[in-house]
Amino acid sequence: RYQIHTGLQHSIIRPTQPNCLPLDNVTLPQKLKEVGYSTHMVGKWHLGFYRRECMPTQRGFDTFFGSLLGSGDYYTHFKCDSPGICGYDLYENDNAAWDHDNGIYSTQMYTQKVQQILASHNPRKPIFLYIAYQAVHSPLQAPGRYFEHYRSINNINRRRYAAMLACLDEAIHNVTLALKKYGYYDNSIIIYSSDNGGQPMAGGSNWPLRGSKGTYWEGGIRAVGFVHSPLLKNKGSVCKELVHITDWFPTLITLAEGQIDEDIQLDGYDIWETISEGRRSPRVDILHNIDPIYTKAKNGSWAAGYGIWNTAIQSAIRVNHWKLLTGNPGYSDWVPPQAFSNAGPNRWHNERVSWSAGKTVWLFNITADPYERVDLSARYPEVVKQLLRRLSQFNKTAVPVRYPPKDPRSNPKLNGGVWGPWFKEDEKKKKSDKSKGANKQKKTKTKTKKKAN
């Protein structure tokens, strides 16, 4: 589902927010369990944990080993959200994995866990293994030996990033060896994918694409990946069709011969024939996002959007070759590779374009101009209107944004020094303090709360 259909269309889930992927969203591992798959998750969750029901083990995974937050220290697994609000964030299933806290770099620790899971499972029985490595997210940390090949890179952030990536490459190699060793490899589908573009301020590079992580420019949203499987009909081919992350859900459930409920409104398509046989993608458009809370563009207006759309709102949509952005698009520079400079991106602002000042609508032909250098909005007003109408249609189906304020009860100090569920225990305490009459009222309230969640 698109973000506008889960309520998570604004920013990320913060550690202190009482928020998670709404419980009525059925997950991929839940659907795979229905058809006999063992389901395991290793790595970064970042879908919320404020109550027990939000935890990975409650959302379809038989086992979980990893972190609940979006980032943290690779060695200590410790994370501060703000001064004084700090905690440990390494879990085995539903409990803090203190016994694993022995200074192992997370990329290597997660790989060891994957090897253990593969060694102890029967390869003749179906398994779904979701590995979400922490690398190459900040903070930029890597074991010393991986720096050896990158001494020629002067920019320290880029050097660290390269070292982290070398370690990640080795991890993927070791996972692949384990798949072979334990008898899975010849009947597996390996999907390798990223979640967003790079952050040039932290070693990443999207050159020659425009923008960075956190923006809707191609540098922020275009990610490469590959699928490796003996089930692929066309091997060694490159797919340039429209494919979106929402497509994995129906694609993998269909491959696993699972059932997709007809009443679930999915935004994804089964793209297996597109990947495997080179067929045209069933997808003609991608709603990158509509974020009604993001800082409004000062010059945006309904007039600029032809009365169809308020261009102050941050949004982006792709329809066939066309891509439209409205509102405040975020960091929009082209940042050349910084391998040989410590000056950082500021050095390269000769690439900066000033004509975007005051603009709130952009139109690009992404097939002809993937670098988003030639804005066509003035030349093709009819195309702009067509895409604005599509945006408006999508917006009618949007659910309200879920972005609750911080909850002081989330402080790890109140939870044994660990980031973890804090919501339910508090409710129990309140219940025990109240009379039975009040208790009945509380129960009805709790029921309605659950529905809202």
Side-chain angles (χ1 to χ4, degrees), residues 14-20 50 402 404-407 422-423 453:
R14 308 282 168 187
T16 55
Q17 277 182 320
N19 198 10
C20 72
Y50 78 105
R402 298 164 57 98
K406 283 183 179 183
D407 186 338
W422 70 84
F423 203 75
N453 280 339

Side-chain angles (χ1 to χ4, degrees), residues 18 36 60-61 90 96 98 115 119 129 156 193 195 232 244 278 284 289 317 339 361 363 378 380 408 421:
F61 286 107
L90 184 65
W98 291 110
Q115 289 164 330
L129 183 51
I156 186 65
S193 157
D195 55 351
L232 288 169
H244 187 253
V284 293
N289 199 18
I317 188 167
V361 178
L363 178 72
Y380 296 104

Side-chain angles (χ1 to χ4, degrees), residues 225-416:
F226 65 80
V227 179
H228 178 84
S229 176
L231 303 176
L232 288 169
K233 292 196 174 145
N234 295 355
K235 294 178 174 53
S237 62
V238 176
C239 173
K240 291 192 175 180
E241 291 289 306
L242 277 189
V243 171
H244 187 253
I245 192 165
T246 51
D247 299 332
W248 290 125
F249 183 89
T251 302
L252 294 177
I253 291 166
T254 306
L255 272 173
E257 298 177 358
Q259 288 293 307
I260 294 171
D261 310 325
E262 284 177 20
D263 57 340
I264 292 186
Q265 296 279 270
L266 286 187
D267 296 307
Y269 295 86
D270 177 357
I271 48 157
W272 184 250
E273 289 183 347
T274 306
I275 294 169
S276 176
E277 299 171 36
R279 302 235 183 140
R280 294 301 304 270
S281 173
R283 174 180 284 290
V284 293
D285 55 19
I286 293 174
L287 177 69
H288 293 308
N289 199 18
I290 300 168
D291 184 344
I293 291 184
Y294 194 81
T295 313
K296 302 287 186 288
K298 287 196 181 89
N299 301 343
S301 65
W302 284 95
Y306 300 98
I308 301 165
W309 184 256
N310 180 358
T311 65
I313 294 169
Q314 188 196 51
S315 71
I317 188 167
R318 170 84 182 261
V319 179
N320 294 316
H321 302 299
W322 297 107
K323 177 181 173 186
L324 181 91
L325 298 98
T326 74
N328 186 340
Y331 183 84
S332 59
D333 289 355
W334 294 268
V335 184
Q338 305 154 57
F340 306 107
S341 164
N342 267 326
N346 297 334
R347 163 101 180 267
W348 304 102
H349 282 179
N350 56 346
E351 276 287 346
R352 176 165 277 176
V353 281
S354 55
W355 48 256
S356 63
K359 276 182 67 64
T360 56
V361 178
W362 293 261
L363 178 72
F364 300 98
N365 181 325
I366 293 295
T367 310
D369 176 28
Y371 315 130
E372 297 169 297
R373 288 186 176 270
V374 185
D375 171 41
L376 300 170
S377 59
R379 202 184 306 173
Y380 296 104
E382 291 309 311
V383 177
V384 171
K385 287 178 195 170
Q386 187 190 335
L387 268 63
L388 290 172
R389 283 189 204 102
R390 190 80 184 98
L391 259 184
S392 179
Q393 282 176 331
F394 270 122
N395 201 40
K396 288 189 181 102
T397 69
V399 301
V401 177
R402 298 164 57 98
Y403 199 72
K406 283 183 179 183
D407 186 338
R409 296 173 294 178
S410 62
N411 192 333
K413 282 179 187 162
L414 306 173
N415 195 21

Side-chain angles (χ1 to χ4, degrees), residues 42 74 77 104-114 131 133-136 141 143 146 164-172 175:
V42 175
Y74 282 72
H77 321 298
I104 301 179
Y105 185 67
S106 79
T107 302
Q108 295 165 330
M109 182 172 65
Y110 290 160
T111 304
Q112 288 171 11
K113 190 68 187 176
V114 169
I131 315 165
Y133 282 107
Q134 194 180 345
V136 288
Q141 298 171 292
Y146 295 97
M164 293 168 85
L165 198 55
C167 184
L168 181 63
D169 282 345
E170 186 180 276
I172 301 302
V175 168

